[in-house]
Amino acid sequence: KTGRVKIVVSDDCGNSSELSFDIKRKPTQRDFRAKSDTISPIVERDKPFRHTKENLTILIPRNSLYESVIYTQEFSKQPLKRDTSIVVLSPVYRILNPRIPLHKGVHVSIKCSVPKELIPHVMLGSRNNKGRVTALGGEYKSGAVEGKILTLGDIYVVADTIAPIITPKLPANASLKGRKSLRVNIRDNFSGVKHWAAYIDGKWTPFDYHPVKGYATLPLPAGLRSGEHTLTIVVTDPCNNTAKWEGEFSI
């Protein structure tokens, strides 16, 4: 069987090229369909794109990409690295290519079954270049987990129920006499830190968090009287897990 193939390719600036050639199929060969063909969805750079397939819906606003591409989506065959601190609740979807840069965020919604007790703790996750799970954000709405992402590639639903760990660097005698501030180490297993607050003797006090360095600085208020004081630190991560530390110090 002989057929003629005609390929026309155009770029976003209106330039086009055309190539035509004949092909001949041997009697023993089966029909062949390319992974991307004329029925493949096209993400046009200057137009909004919406697509739903296999419980995943993606909305790419116009001008989110720097050039038009053929949309591809499949289930990732690469296994996830084991992480007992999170729960994976959906298949891993590979959306386009993680090397494609995004000018704007795109909206992703994944329908999946989420146990009632995990609903407050779910978000979208991804896989970094070392294979580790990373947090993308998002929330549960009407049977799906959705959010705006700035990274393409492997996307899935995860739940995190582990609260942050708070470790004030108090000396053994808990005395801060002569000091102007207290360092507090803050560590989270997955999604980072969303809210933080500190209270001295029940009164809110400024608390500077440095996420890259993994610690916070608590300036001691000027005029704080000598003697014993109570300190309360509250930290919440984006998956709504809250940790609370309470203790005493003296000056």
Side-chain angles (χ1 to χ4, degrees), residues 212-240:
V212 175
K213 297 180 180 179
Y215 69 84
T217 303
L218 175 68
L220 298 178
L224 196 63
R225 62 174 176 78
S226 299
E228 300 291 327
H229 297 274
T230 60
L231 172 62
T232 303
I233 300 172
V234 181
V235 178
T236 302
D237 68 17
C239 289
N240 299 308

Side-chain angles (χ1 to χ4, degrees), residues 130-198:
K130 295 182 179 179
R132 295 187 60 185
V133 178
T134 59
L136 294 180
E139 59 183 334
Y140 181 88
K141 290 184 179 180
S142 304
V145 178
E146 57 184 67
K148 182 177 287 187
I149 65 173
L150 293 169
T151 302
L152 298 171
D154 291 351
I155 311 295
Y156 42 96
V157 175
V158 296
D160 170 21
T161 60
I162 307 298
I165 297 175
I166 306 169
T167 311
K169 304 300 288 185
L170 282 167
N173 61 0
S175 175
L176 299 180
K177 187 174 182 179
R179 294 192 184 186
K180 295 183 178 181
S181 63
L182 170 67
R183 172 170 166 165
V184 181
N185 290 341
I186 299 175
R187 183 167 60 88
D188 186 72
N189 65 305
F190 175 61
S191 55
V193 172
K194 181 170 66 172
H195 298 301
W196 58 93

Side-chain angles (χ1 to χ4, degrees), residues 35-104:
K35 186 175 181 180
S36 298
D37 56 23
T38 54
I39 65 171
S40 297
I42 304 296
V43 186
E44 298 185 52
R45 178 183 59 84
D46 57 350
K47 296 179 181 179
F49 175 84
R50 182 184 179 90
H51 186 68
T52 299
K53 180 182 178 183
E54 294 160 343
N55 291 325
L56 183 146
T57 297
I58 184 169
L59 175 60
I60 303 178
R62 63 187 299 269
N63 296 325
S64 295
L65 303 182
Y66 291 92
E67 61 181 6
S68 301
V69 298
I70 296 173
Y71 180 76
T72 57
Q73 177 186 314
E74 61 184 350
F75 292 117
S76 177
K77 299 179 179 61
Q78 182 181 353
L80 292 171
K81 287 190 175 180
R82 182 172 175 79
D83 187 340
T84 57
S85 69
I86 62 169
V87 181
V88 178
L89 296 170
S90 78
V92 180
Y93 298 88
R94 177 156 292 180
I95 304 173
L96 291 170
N97 188 312
R99 295 187 180 89
I100 295 177
L102 291 174
H103 180 61
K104 298 179 181 179

